[in-house]
């Protein structure tokens, strides 16, 4: 699925035009690669990173939507990831503990 359609269908971008501009300006990363075109392909398992509303968002693609549905349906298509999250075992093994 095209990146601009994915962003619009999942309501991560308000309009498809906004999604196209985000991609064309290089404000998106797909699996760590800077994207400069709206027609880049998105697949299940990809990680998208972009700035929105003054914060950096990182999401994992869980499903490819068939339409631009209601917000609860759109949110099922991605998982919000936390930036800088460490797993518990790493924090317990740090030198200060």
């Amino acid at each position: 699925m095209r990146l601009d359609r994915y962003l619009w269908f999942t309501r991560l971008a308000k309009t498809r035009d906004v999604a196209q501009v985000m991609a064309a300006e290089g404000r998106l990363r797909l699996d760590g690669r800077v994207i400069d075109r709206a027609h880049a392909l998105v697949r299940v398992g990809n990680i998208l990173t972009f700035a929105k509303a003054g914060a950096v968002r990182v999401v994992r693609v869980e499903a490819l939507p068939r339409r631009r549905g209601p917000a609860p349906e759109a949110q099922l298509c991605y998982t919000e990831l936390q930036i800088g999250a460490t797993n518990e075992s790493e924090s317990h093994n740090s030198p200060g503990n």
Side-chain angles (χ1 to χ4, degrees):
M1 168 176 274
R2 287 176 55 116
L3 177 61
D4 58 338
R5 290 186 66 197
Y6 181 82
L7 293 171
W8 183 54
F9 280 8
T10 58
R11 297 178 176 268
L12 293 170
K14 191 170 186 172
T15 66
R16 189 164 174 193
D17 286 339
V18 168
Q20 289 172 341
V21 169
M22 286 172 65
E25 291 180 352
R27 298 189 336 215
L28 290 162
R29 290 184 183 265
L30 183 63
D31 291 338
R33 293 177 295 121
V34 176
I35 299 299
D36 60 356
R37 59 196 197 287
H39 65 272
L41 293 180
V42 175
R43 294 183 175 94
V44 173
N46 284 148
I47 304 293
L48 291 172
T49 308
F50 57 96
K52 184 173 181 186
V56 175
R57 293 186 69 183
V58 181
V59 299
R60 179 177 41 238
V61 177
E62 299 294 342
L64 300 177
R66 300 180 72 182
R67 65 186 183 115
R68 180 174 165 88
E73 181 181 311
Q75 290 171 346
L76 295 175
C77 295
Y78 63 89
T79 300
E80 195 85 33
L81 303 175
Q82 295 179 357
I83 297 175
T86 60
N87 79 35
E88 255 180 73
S89 64
E90 289 177 7
S91 62
H92 290 302
N93 293 333
S94 62
N97 291 340

